[in-house]
Structure formats: structure tokens, C-alpha cells
Amino acid sequence: MSATPFNLCTLPPWAIASHRFNAHPQPLELTGVRQSNRFLFARLAETPTPEARAQLFHDYLDVTFQLHQWEQADSAAGRRSLRNSYLRFLRGWMFDSNSREGAVLKGWVESRFGLAPTYHRGTIADIHSDAYFRYLEERMRGAARTAAIHPQLDLLYEYVQDELRRRWPDLHHLLLYRGVQDFTEQRLLADLGERRHLVQLNNLVSFTDEFERAWEFGSRVLEARVPVVKIVFMGGFLPSTLLRGEGEVLALGGEYEVRVLTGG
């Protein structure tokens, strides 16, 4: 279970999920997001420093989605909906990717890129499984906590991509690391020899750009060349007062060639 038939971006799901795409990445864009927010991206282009761009992005979302008005909402549900912004879901993911917030982020990837989750509190074999039903239930309950979480995440992805192109215009891949205890959340597809494997990763995956830090999360480390166009979020791309996790990188999953490093 790696892709659904539909998505809202410029390439089909089967292409994005393929390891061949990782070797030869193509541009990805969420349909209509940049066009509908021309003012934001024009202002970002005029803003000289990363810190100022990060603050501009957050302020734009704050005003566009009225996140700062949560105290003035008429009901407790309204206050909770505005207060639970994209930051709440990023924090929830960093604490536990199998949380309700994690289900919402995986659901956003599924709806936008057509990549279905393969793991959420258990292996998801297909859309008829109990595991997929439980994931859907958490996804719907989590999304109900806030207003317009998917459009907020759409803008986050396009902002991160814009920032990556601005900082490293000639960069196509990042060498990233993922600590694992076993292969429960990633399925082995092929042994390529010399500790290299083809694996099926979940539709949204946490990596780190710090090799040493990856060992904190498991007895093995997966080393992968991740296409820049698959990066959904990078720590340090938001104002430092809003979110910790400097080395955290969230990337779209699918088929990856990885090198497995073991301790000792």
C-alpha cells in the first residue's frame, strides 16, 4: 500500500513513490497554492535574511487564518480550533509520529501527494484493514481540532521548498539519517548488497541531518539521499521561539535505497 489514485500536485502518486524518482527528482508543486498566495511569495523574495523570512511566513499564516484571535472566539471549540495551528501538529509529530497529530499529517500527505500511510500504531496492509480504519478515525478527530489545517500545511510545504531553493539553488539531494530499532515501520523490498537495501518507508518520515543524533533513536541508522523536493519541513526554518528540533527533517516517504549502519 504505497499510493492512492489521486493527488493535488504536479506529478502522479506512483511517480513520487518510486525509488527512480529519488534518483532523478522532478519539481513538485501543490496545485494553486503559490498562485493563491502570490503576495506572500513576492514578499519573501524581497526579504533578505532567513530569520526575517521565517517571521514573515508565520505572521502571514497568523493573519490569514486568524490564529492570533483565538482568545476572542465565542466558544471553547472555536478558541481551541484557532489555537491548534500547524505548530501544534508539528509539535505533536515530534513527540510521537503515531499520535493523533501524526495521523493528521499523514492524512495531509495522502490527500495532497497521493501517498497512503503504511504504518500508524501498526502496519497498514490495505485500505480495508482495521489499522487503516483506526488511522482514519484519528485523522478525522485530529483535523476537527482546528480550522483549515490542510491549507496551513500546504503553505508550510511551499514555503519550505521556496526557502530551500533560495538557500541552496543547486542542491538536489540531502544526505539524511533515520535511527530505527527494527524494520517494523519500514518494509524491506530488496537486498542490494553491502548493507544497502531497498525499503518502503511510511508516507511521511522523520530524518535528521545529524548523523550522531540518529543513534539516539535506535540501534541501527538508515542513511538515505533524500530529494530536496520531498522535504516537507526542516528544523530551523521557523522562528526559533516557535518550535524546537533544529536537526529534525520531515520528508515524503515511498521507496528508498538506504545504507544500514549498525553500532559497534
Side-chain angles (χ1 to χ4, degrees), residues 76-126:
R79 289 190 292 274
R80 185 168 59 250
S81 176
L82 291 174
R83 196 174 187 181
N84 290 339
S85 70
Y86 73 105
L87 294 171
R88 162 67 182 270
F89 289 86
L90 289 175
R91 292 188 186 108
W93 173 279
M94 291 175 184
F95 180 74
D96 179 8
S97 63
N98 288 300
S99 62
R100 189 170 291 179
E101 292 84 359
V104 171
L105 286 167
K106 292 169 188 173
W108 169 77
V109 170
E110 185 175 13
S111 69
R112 270 38 182 178
F113 298 94
L115 306 181
T118 57
Y119 193 95
H120 187 76
R121 299 186 188 274
T123 301
I124 300 175
D126 58 61

Side-chain angles (χ1 to χ4, degrees), residues 86 89-95 97 101-102 105-106 108-109 153 156-157 160-161 164 174 176 178 203-209 226-235 243-253 256:
Y86 73 105
F89 289 86
L90 289 175
R91 292 188 186 108
W93 173 279
M94 291 175 184
F95 180 74
S97 63
E101 292 84 359
L105 286 167
K106 292 169 188 173
W108 169 77
V109 170
L153 295 172
L156 177 66
Y157 171 77
V160 168
Q161 288 295 308
L164 284 165
L174 289 174
L176 300 177
R178 173 172 171 80
N203 69 341
L204 185 63
V205 190
S206 284
F207 289 96
T208 177
D209 57 7
V226 179
V228 169
V229 295
K230 279 194 167 185
I231 303 299
V232 171
F233 173 72
M234 287 192 73
L243 197 68
R244 295 183 179 180
E246 288 291 322
E248 182 103 17
V249 180
L250 270 63
L252 301 177
Y256 276 83

Side-chain angles (χ1 to χ4, degrees), residues 51-251:
E51 296 78 13
R53 290 193 296 270
Q55 190 62 56
L56 172 63
F57 169 75
H58 178 69
D59 290 347
Y60 182 85
L61 263 68
D62 193 28
V63 172
T64 300
F65 297 101
Q66 301 181 351
L67 304 178
H68 60 294
Q69 295 187 17
W70 66 271
E71 291 180 314
Q72 284 76 49
D74 294 333
S75 65
R79 289 190 292 274
R80 185 168 59 250
S81 176
L82 291 174
R83 196 174 187 181
N84 290 339
S85 70
Y86 73 105
L87 294 171
R88 162 67 182 270
F89 289 86
L90 289 175
R91 292 188 186 108
W93 173 279
M94 291 175 184
F95 180 74
D96 179 8
S97 63
N98 288 300
S99 62
R100 189 170 291 179
E101 292 84 359
V104 171
L105 286 167
K106 292 169 188 173
W108 169 77
V109 170
E110 185 175 13
S111 69
R112 270 38 182 178
F113 298 94
L115 306 181
T118 57
Y119 193 95
H120 187 76
R121 299 186 188 274
T123 301
I124 300 175
D126 58 61
I127 62 171
H128 305 293
S129 65
D130 291 340
Y132 189 73
F133 177 80
R134 289 192 295 270
Y135 146 73
L136 284 180
E137 184 178 37
E138 286 211 272
R139 169 184 169 180
M140 289 185 290
R141 288 186 176 182
R145 288 181 172 184
T146 190
I149 185 58
H150 281 190
Q152 291 181 46
L153 295 172
D154 292 346
L155 277 166
L156 177 66
Y157 171 77
E158 291 293 352
Y159 159 69
V160 168
Q161 288 295 308
D162 189 75
E163 188 66 19
L164 284 165
R165 287 190 293 268
R166 200 177 307 280
R167 295 190 190 192
W168 304 295
D170 299 321
L171 187 66
H172 300 292
H173 292 85
L174 289 174
L175 190 64
L176 300 177
Y177 307 93
R178 173 172 171 80
V180 299
Q181 292 293 351
D182 52 42
F183 286 91
T184 302
E185 293 193 35
Q186 40 271 317
R187 185 162 60 97
L188 288 172
L189 300 177
D191 185 344
L192 305 177
E194 299 182 351
R195 293 190 176 184
R196 302 194 70 85
H197 299 271
L198 181 63
V199 299
Q200 175 76 49
L201 297 182
N202 210 350
N203 69 341
L204 185 63
V205 190
S206 284
F207 289 96
T208 177
D209 57 7
E210 301 171 10
F211 172 73
E212 292 79 8
R213 188 177 176 213
W215 289 110
E216 300 174 10
F217 298 93
S219 58
R220 305 177 187 179
V221 169
L222 307 184
E223 180 187 77
R225 290 179 72 246
V226 179
V228 169
V229 295
K230 279 194 167 185
I231 303 299
V232 171
F233 173 72
M234 287 192 73
F237 275 31
L238 293 175
S240 58
T241 56
L242 297 178
L243 197 68
R244 295 183 179 180
E246 288 291 322
E248 182 103 17
V249 180
L250 270 63

